[in-house]
Amino acid sequence: MRAEIDIMQGHYKPLLAEYSSVQGAHKTVSPIPDSYALIALTELARFDDAERLLKESDPGQAGDIWEQSRLLHASGVLHSAQGDFIGALHKFLECGRRLSVHAVTNPSFLPWRSAAAMCRLALGDRSAALALAKEELRLARVWNTPRSLGRALHAVAVATAGQGGLALGAEAVRLLRQTPDSRELVSALLSHGRQLAAAGRRAHARKHYQEAARQAEKLGSIRLRIDAERDLRTVGVRHPSALLTGSQSLTGSERRVAELAAAGHTNTEISNLLQITRRTVESHLTRTYRKLGIQGRDSLRAALQAGKEDT
């Protein structure tokens, strides 16, 4: 299992960039920490692989307190993505307990309270959810970063009924648009879209779902893209996947590979330059051709240039 994940580093890189300090096309993550790999597999909707990795991992033996906590949080994300909100809640609360022992209160590190709040909501306990979300918001205001504030506001918004929840949801989206954390932005866009749809504002909801779908596609999160497409169907979009085309839908890895290919590099050269397998290069190019609506390499440069002119 570990060997497969290590081989597929290039495929996971757009997702892992949000959780690690590794940046740039010429760097790799080796070895990938279990917690990062677990998040990547979950976002790629590879739940069986994620479960196998989780069985191989032991939060009690995972390096230091930081990796232990990250692994607990990641396993909570996996449980939640599969609809096991009781199991997810247990993981998030245990993560919080361990961090509290070490007096770690910064929600920018691991937002276990807002994650637990979402589980409480799914289980029908709105008051407990709101208490958790408000506590995270209080702490987020101490640290005062757009990411932590936006994430906490998102949780409070979902737990708050009526116009108050709508206003908070809009503010959460505004703040998260200022951060590189597109996974959190997609979740906030979907939640706010559902609030808008419930308020009868279907056209506004559709715009939020469409933005969420595009962001999920760029991020490479199959799980969130499926959620966005499902929500788009509820507001009358029959073929939501048709929205996910063009150069703006390319993930970071796909764009890097495409630009090198357009510059005349062979697949082998690209593989060596980016330190990814040749098979991964071929997979990126195949998806890029589909998204750009072209047949092959000869049309790549023109398609990429047209996308830049449209932005």
Side-chain angles (χ1 to χ4, degrees):
M1 184 63 194
R2 295 297 312 164
E4 179 189 0
I5 292 173
D6 288 341
I7 290 171
M8 293 295 289
Q9 289 179 72
H11 190 69
Y12 297 144
K13 196 179 296 181
L15 290 167
L16 299 178
E18 298 185 13
Y19 306 100
S20 70
S21 60
V22 178
Q23 298 291 334
H26 302 287
K27 298 181 181 179
T28 59
V29 182
S30 182
I32 299 174
D34 285 347
S35 57
Y36 298 162
L38 193 57
I39 288 289
L41 288 168
T42 300
E43 294 306 319
L44 292 168
R46 293 175 55 178
F47 299 137
D48 290 343
D49 288 340
E51 288 285 1
R52 280 195 291 273
L53 175 60
L54 187 56
K55 288 179 181 178
E56 297 172 6
S57 308
D58 181 359
Q61 302 297 322
D64 54 26
I65 179 61
W66 311 114
E67 177 58 13
Q68 292 173 21
S69 301
R70 281 192 294 261
L71 187 55
L72 277 166
H73 190 273
S75 63
V77 172
L78 171 61
H79 282 289
S80 180
Q82 297 181 98
D84 177 13
F85 298 111
I86 293 176
L89 180 61
H90 172 76
K91 297 295 185 182
F92 292 135
L93 292 178
E94 176 61 16
C95 172
R97 186 192 68 78
R98 295 194 185 197
L99 291 176
S100 297
V101 168
H102 292 269
V104 179
T105 60
N106 185 352
S108 298
F109 175 57
L110 284 173
W112 65 269
R113 293 176 183 83
S114 57
M118 293 300 193
C119 293
R120 290 289 193 194
L121 275 173
L123 295 168
D125 193 346
R126 184 175 294 272
S127 62
L130 193 55
L132 282 162
K134 284 185 174 180
E135 176 60 10
E136 181 163 311
L137 180 57
R138 183 187 70 80
L139 293 167
R141 284 176 171 147
V142 173
W143 298 94
N144 198 32
T145 65
R147 182 181 185 183
S148 57
L149 280 170
R151 191 161 45 196
L153 278 169
H154 170 211
V156 175
V158 177
T160 303
Q163 291 299 314
L166 274 172
L168 290 168
E171 179 64 8
V173 168
R174 185 189 70 79
L175 285 169
L176 289 169
R177 284 194 179 118
Q178 301 174 27
T179 77
D181 196 338
S182 48
R183 189 167 70 101
E184 295 288 350
L185 173 59
V186 173
S187 295
L189 285 165
L190 292 176
S191 293
H192 191 49
R194 291 164 195 153
Q195 289 176 312
L196 290 165
R201 299 165 62 182
R202 287 167 58 89
H204 287 85
R206 186 180 301 115
K207 290 180 181 179
H208 282 70
Y209 295 155
Q210 288 171 340
E211 183 181 353
R214 288 191 294 268
Q215 290 287 345
E217 180 76 3
K218 288 171 69 175
L219 174 64
S221 174
I222 295 172
R223 178 182 72 87
L224 289 173
R225 190 191 71 198
I226 290 171
D227 286 349
E229 290 184 359
R230 180 198 61 216
D231 286 345
L232 278 164
R233 291 189 182 93
T234 68
V235 291
V237 179
R238 293 187 178 182
H239 304 289
S241 60
L243 299 169
L244 307 177
T245 59
S247 65
Q248 296 306 303
S249 68
L250 298 181
T251 67
S253 288
E254 287 168 355
R255 182 173 294 279
R256 284 191 290 271
V257 169
E259 288 174 346
L260 287 170
H265 292 283
T266 66
N267 287 3
T268 299
E269 290 171 339
I270 296 170
S271 173
N272 292 332
L273 283 168
L274 300 185
Q275 299 181 17
I276 57 178
T277 66
R278 180 171 173 146
R279 181 177 179 182
T280 300
V281 173
E282 293 168 354
S283 296
H284 284 327
L285 287 174
T286 297
R287 287 192 297 273
T288 296
Y289 298 155
R290 174 181 60 79
K291 292 178 181 180
L292 297 179
I294 60 177
Q295 296 300 311
R297 225 181 187 89
D298 293 342
S299 306
L300 198 50
R301 184 190 295 271
L304 289 173
Q305 184 60 39
K308 290 179 181 178
E309 292 171 355
D310 289 340
T311 59

